[in-house]
Amino acid sequence: MLRKLTVLAAAVGLAFVATSALAASTKEEPVAPSAPWSFDGPFGTYDQAQLQRGYKVYREVCSSCHSMNLLAFRNLGDKGGPFWDPKYKSSVENGYVKAIAKDYQIADIDRDTGDAIKRPGTPADHFVAPFANEAAARASNGGALPPDMSLLARAREGGPDYIYSIVTGYHPAPAGLTVPAGKFYNPYMQGDLSSFWKGDPNKVPVGGFIAMPPPLADGKVSFDDKSPSDLKAEARDVSAFLMWAADPKMEERKQTGLAVMIFLLVFSGILYASYRTLWRNIDHH
Amino acid sequence: MTAHTTYEPKTAIERWLDTRLPIVRLGAEVLEFPTPKNLNYWWTFGGILSFCLATQIVTGIVLAMHYQAGGASAFLSVEQGIMRDVNYGWLIRGIHANGASMFFIAVYIHMFRGMYYGSYKAPRELLWLLGCVIYLLMMATAFMGYVLPWGQMSFWGAKVITNLLGAFPIIGKPITTLLWGGFAVDDPTLNRFFSLHYLLPFLIAAVVALHIWALHVPGNNNPTGVEVKSKADTVPFHPYYTVKDGFAIGVFLILFAVFIFYEPDALGHADNFIAANPLVTPAHIVPEWYFLPFYAILRAIPDKLSGVIAMFGAIAMLFALPWLNTSKVKSMRYRPTSKVYFLVFVVVCLILGWCGAQLPDDAVIPALGKTGINLIDSDLNSYVWLSRIATAYYFAYFLLITPILGLRETPLPVPDSISKPVLAGEAAKKD
Ligand code: HEM
């Protein structure tokens, strides 16, 4: 029996190791993790106060360049979201969300005249992109495109740690490195700096150039809950918010997972017991 | 199928059916099918695979209710619609996307099992060939499915793989044009991939039916590789193997659930969270993990056309296997030398998978640096060279090792029957 279990464990183990090893594909740039996050691990959840602060950083700083097209204002009030409030049956009734939406002017068509108009936003409207189109975004950012932030935390290896590292990781360029105009040296950015490097060819600095000026600094955003607003705290909060934006169903997923796991363990246990009972009198070796 | 059922139509409707379309009898035959009593857990993957196919079809049909094929709408319908707005859309997609990986884990184990125990040898050649057809169809289905969310890796993966076919002289170009529905990967490509992605799983289901039919004629192989001699060697499939397979599916589901609920992105690629953009090439284009060994073989060959031929050849080897194995003994349990070569073969496949995910020119042992031995196009300490060595073993295993060993190896004594081990010590020795 033990042998069978070992074989089974080996099969599952082998499959697991093989797949996770193969999945870890690309070589990563160095990452200065900001972990631990409140959402780490199988029981981790988002910290609502942190999401609210992170939203404020996004709103006041990042949103002037980065869009967040997949999110509607109502998502902010969804269960687990920054402004979720069990008092409201639905996120579109959430007063806070309504107030946030109303601050935006949304392009629309007047139903009577057909004229292009602007009207105050409602919770059902989507976040408003800072630029009309890609060309406009590039034109305002020295040719570089600020990526949409809806999925940024899942679209990069390292996720929130990567975002945190980029935002806090700006460094004066090492002597011998020529930084092109409008670019900044960042050791966490992907790239190959060898053609900009005058020093020892075996010691090319890690990292790359980024067209985004350092977006955050100590005290750039002041938080309503009086929590610290140094560079690191701001970066941590906005990274957590972006993780939520990219994976808003994480809490629901982990909660469902727990129930499913318990069920599967019991279910497999019962099946195993049935199997043993059934085969008791069969000599099957 | 041989009649081996005690089924007696009892009700009037069953009697009526039995002389017209004996479908209840068929069900009874399948359930009572005499199955060797010594099957180990490696034999549970057939049931697991059927479960995987059903899961992909059910979740796929629900996804298709919400999915919109089209360059402008596909990414949004998945990442905004299914993942955020559709109730439990994240779950359905999580099952479907990770389910494809689980399907391949199971099929690879199932195939290695067949190779180890010689399940492809007479009279099961056709059973094995049908299995290879299923595997081919699975690869086509998964490849086209991965294109559907229309992320960066979807788009660029589709482009790289379809371009490979262009390497064939004369027929290459027309085939790619046909696949693309134009002169580049674009909306028409996505639409036809969706259509085919919907179709192929049902073809797979049909081939699975043939596969099981072809199984029920000779019956299951078993760990001894000795054919069933008498009723004493078997038990009815139900309840003995329904329960055992059920338990195995339960354990498999636990692993599956770990991915769905706790590591939903682990088997995917971060770049696929970026909408497809034909103007921005990702830094590193890699296919899904289950294609990586073939990708490594492709890149191991410096010439594009030869690489493509080698890649397809690697799959063709599987089809030829029943005629490459010259051994009289099926199971490697009694072939100690073959067992070693086989285990090396499994490791070589894993190494090829590993190489497929790396940049070809990167050093395998970084600490060693460049060896300075530059062969053909790359330093010896590089993944491309590791791939070449592994590719050589892969083909040698099929074309040299398997036929030669079958003739030269002296197998251990093989038991007379499943219930009667040949030596006293044999009952205790299990592998
Ligand atoms: C052999 C069975 C199947 C396999 C191996 C398979 C594989 C895949 C894969 C790998 C993806 C991409 C997952 C992702 O990254 O999102 C996908 C997507 C999709 N599949 Fe399948 N599939 C199968 C059957 C089906 C069937 C039967 C249907 C429909 C009836 C279907 C409908 C879809 C749809 C609509 C998508 C796009 C949505 C999405 O990307 O999540 N699939 N499939």
Side-chain angles (χ1 to χ4, degrees):
Chain A
M1 180 59 244
L2 243 164
R3 190 183 62 94
K4 298 248 156 112
L5 273 186
T6 330
V7 170
L8 189 70
V12 173
L14 185 80
F16 194 84
V17 170
T19 46
S20 49
L22 295 180
S25 48
T26 39
K27 271 211 313 204
E28 285 145 48
E29 296 296 320
V31 164
S34 163
W37 299 98
S38 67
F39 44 81
D40 284 342
F43 301 103
T45 55
Y46 294 118
D47 168 354
Q48 200 183 27
Q50 183 175 46
L51 295 190
Q52 291 182 2
R53 295 194 298 273
Y55 171 69
K56 192 162 195 227
V57 178
Y58 170 73
R59 163 88 188 263
E60 290 181 9
V61 185
C62 322
S63 73
S64 56
C65 300
H66 292 272
S67 61
M68 181 106 83
N69 292 332
L70 299 190
L71 269 79
F73 295 116
R74 67 181 158 81
N75 292 133
L76 294 169
D78 283 346
K79 189 153 191 267
F83 299 107
W84 181 60
D85 187 342
K87 203 165 77 202
Y88 300 103
K89 266 217 288 302
S90 144
S91 54
V92 289
E93 291 160 18
N94 184 311
Y96 215 95
V97 171
K98 279 187 186 162
I100 289 174
K102 226 171 44 226
D103 268 359
Y104 287 86
Q105 288 298 309
I106 310 287
D108 207 341
I109 303 288
D110 187 306
R111 286 182 187 224
D112 299 325
T113 63
D115 292 339
I117 54 160
K118 294 260 183 186
R119 57 158 177 84
T122 70
D125 286 313
H126 273 246
F127 279 36
V128 180
F131 301 103
N133 49 51
E134 185 180 328
R138 283 190 191 275
S140 304
N141 286 285
L145 179 70
D148 181 83
M149 279 188 160
S150 321
L151 286 164
L152 191 63
R154 285 173 103 174
R156 297 289 183 277
E157 296 289 344
D161 290 320
Y162 172 76
I163 297 174
Y164 174 86
S165 307
I166 288 281
V167 173
T168 57
Y170 286 87
H171 251 279
L177 186 70
T178 324
V179 181
K183 301 259 185 198
F184 302 83
Y185 170 64
N186 192 316
Y188 299 100
M189 193 69 184
Q190 290 215 349
D192 177 7
L193 296 177
S194 44
S195 51
F196 300 89
W197 176 244
K198 290 214 193 62
D200 181 350
N202 290 320
K203 296 211 172 87
V204 181
V206 290
F209 297 127
I210 185 166
M212 170 172 72
L216 293 173
D218 291 342
K220 182 118 179 184
V221 179
S222 64
F223 295 124
D224 309 332
D225 62 1
K226 303 275 177 313
S227 49
S229 63
D230 53 295
L231 168 65
K232 289 189 166 162
E234 291 166 347
R236 207 163 16 245
D237 292 347
V238 78
S239 304
F241 169 73
L242 291 175
M243 190 66 233
W244 167 80
D247 194 5
K249 307 287 183 178
M250 182 209 69
E251 291 183 0
E252 189 185 357
R253 196 176 68 228
K254 288 179 182 171
Q255 279 159 13
T256 314
L258 182 61
V260 169
M261 282 300 178
I262 293 172
F263 169 78
L264 284 178
L265 286 170
V266 173
F267 177 71
S268 307
I270 292 172
L271 280 170
Y272 184 64
S274 320
Y275 161 67
R276 294 286 290 171
T277 316
L278 191 63
W279 283 77
R280 203 179 35 219
N281 296 321
I282 309 251
D283 171 26
H284 55 282
H285 293 301
Chain B
M1 229 175 277
T2 44
H4 47 68
T5 173
T6 53
Y7 172 74
E8 279 292 340
K10 293 212 177 61
T11 58
I13 175 129
E14 278 179 72
R15 275 192 296 274
W16 190 86
L17 269 177
D18 209 45
T19 48
R20 291 165 178 81
L21 179 70
I23 191 158
V24 189
R25 177 176 295 274
L26 179 71
E29 284 193 3
V30 169
L31 282 182
E32 289 173 35
F33 192 74
T35 310
K37 60 184 187 175
N38 61 333
L39 301 187
N40 56 31
Y41 278 105
W42 299 113
W43 260 263
T44 60
F45 284 90
I48 289 173
L49 283 162
S50 313
F51 172 83
C52 287
L53 178 62
T55 307
Q56 291 305 101
I57 290 184
V58 171
T59 51
I61 289 175
V62 179
L63 283 175
M65 295 174 188
H66 303 283
Y67 173 77
Q68 293 163 12
S73 53
F75 187 79
L76 272 185
S77 74
V78 172
E79 288 299 347
Q80 182 177 307
I82 293 171
M83 294 302 281
R84 292 166 196 264
D85 292 342
V86 173
N87 288 330
Y88 290 101
W90 60 267
L91 179 58
I92 308 281
R93 182 180 184 220
I95 296 173
H96 196 80
N98 287 292
S101 284
M102 299 305 293
F103 206 158
F104 277 95
I105 292 176
V107 87
Y108 283 132
I109 295 177
H110 191 68
M111 291 162 73
F112 282 134
R113 186 281 319 257
M115 291 178 74
Y116 183 83
Y117 292 109
S119 301
Y120 50 84
K121 289 181 66 65
R124 296 187 183 78
E125 302 93 326
L126 204 54
L127 174 58
W128 173 263
L129 290 186
L130 287 165
C132 293
V133 171
I134 294 174
Y135 174 57
L136 266 185
L137 287 171
M138 272 176 68
M139 293 205 284
T141 308
F143 164 63
M144 292 194 258
Y146 190 64
V147 176
L148 300 185
W150 210 236
Q152 274 288 70
M153 229 18 116
S154 301
F155 179 89
W156 289 94
K159 193 166 163 132
V160 170
I161 303 295
T162 51
N163 261 323
L164 290 178
L165 300 171
F168 287 110
I170 308 169
I171 53 164
K173 276 276 165 298
I175 290 181
T176 35
T177 310
L178 199 65
L179 272 177
W180 289 342
F183 301 100
V185 175
D186 207 337
D187 267 39
T189 325
L190 180 56
N191 274 284
R192 62 192 54 198
F193 277 23
F194 181 41
S195 171
L196 293 173
H197 184 69
Y198 208 133
L199 170 71
L200 291 190
F202 295 92
L203 278 186
I204 295 178
V207 184
V208 168
L210 295 180
H211 188 69
I212 293 175
W213 187 5
L215 166 71
H216 281 190
V217 176
N220 294 75
N221 186 25
N222 68 80
T224 65
V226 178
E227 295 298 328
V228 166
K229 299 269 161 67
S230 72
K231 216 162 154 44
D233 292 343
T234 67
V235 289
F237 186 77
H238 178 73
Y240 292 95
Y241 282 108
T242 39
V243 172
K244 188 179 183 182
D245 285 358
F247 166 61
I249 290 176
V251 174
F252 184 76
L253 275 175
I254 292 174
L255 175 66
F256 194 170
V258 168
F259 283 115
I260 297 170
F261 296 104
Y262 301 107
E263 287 293 341
D265 300 344
L267 300 170
H269 199 288
D271 278 38
N272 232 26
F273 284 103
I274 306 169
N277 185 343
L279 302 176
V280 180
T281 318
H284 194 49
I285 302 175
V286 272
E288 291 283 88
W289 70 263
Y290 34 83
F291 296 130
L292 290 174
F294 300 105
Y295 195 52
I297 291 176
L298 169 81
R299 294 193 303 183
I301 317 287
D303 170 62
K304 187 172 166 190
L305 177 59
S306 315
V308 177
I309 292 172
M311 184 172 76
F312 285 112
I315 302 169
M317 291 296 113
L318 294 170
F319 282 86
L321 185 56
W323 297 277
L324 291 172
N325 186 335
T326 50
S327 170
K328 290 204 170 54
V329 173
K330 283 199 194 99
S331 172
M332 287 194 200
R333 186 180 270 192
Y334 309 105
R335 303 182 60 197
T337 317
S338 298
K339 196 189 276 186
V340 175
Y341 282 99
F342 173 76
L343 288 176
V344 174
F345 174 74
V346 174
V347 173
V348 161
C349 291
L350 293 174
I351 290 176
L352 279 171
W354 180 253
C355 291
Q358 310 300 319
L359 292 172
D361 288 331
D362 275 359
V364 179
I365 310 163
L368 212 64
K370 296 260 176 263
T371 57
I373 311 169
N374 205 323
L375 279 173
I376 307 182
D377 52 0
S378 195
D379 193 86
L380 205 53
N381 180 16
S382 66
Y383 280 102
V384 72
W385 269 106
L386 183 60
S387 308
R388 280 175 188 155
I389 295 165
T391 303
Y393 186 88
Y394 182 98
F395 283 101
Y397 181 77
F398 286 100
L399 298 175
L400 297 173
I401 297 171
T402 300
I404 294 175
L405 264 187
L407 298 175
R408 313 205 48 184
E409 183 179 14
T410 319
L412 300 174
V414 175
D416 290 337
S417 79
I418 293 172
S419 348
K420 233 189 311 153
V422 67
L423 298 168
E426 196 60 33
K429 194 191 138 281
K430 310 140 191 167
D431 63 329

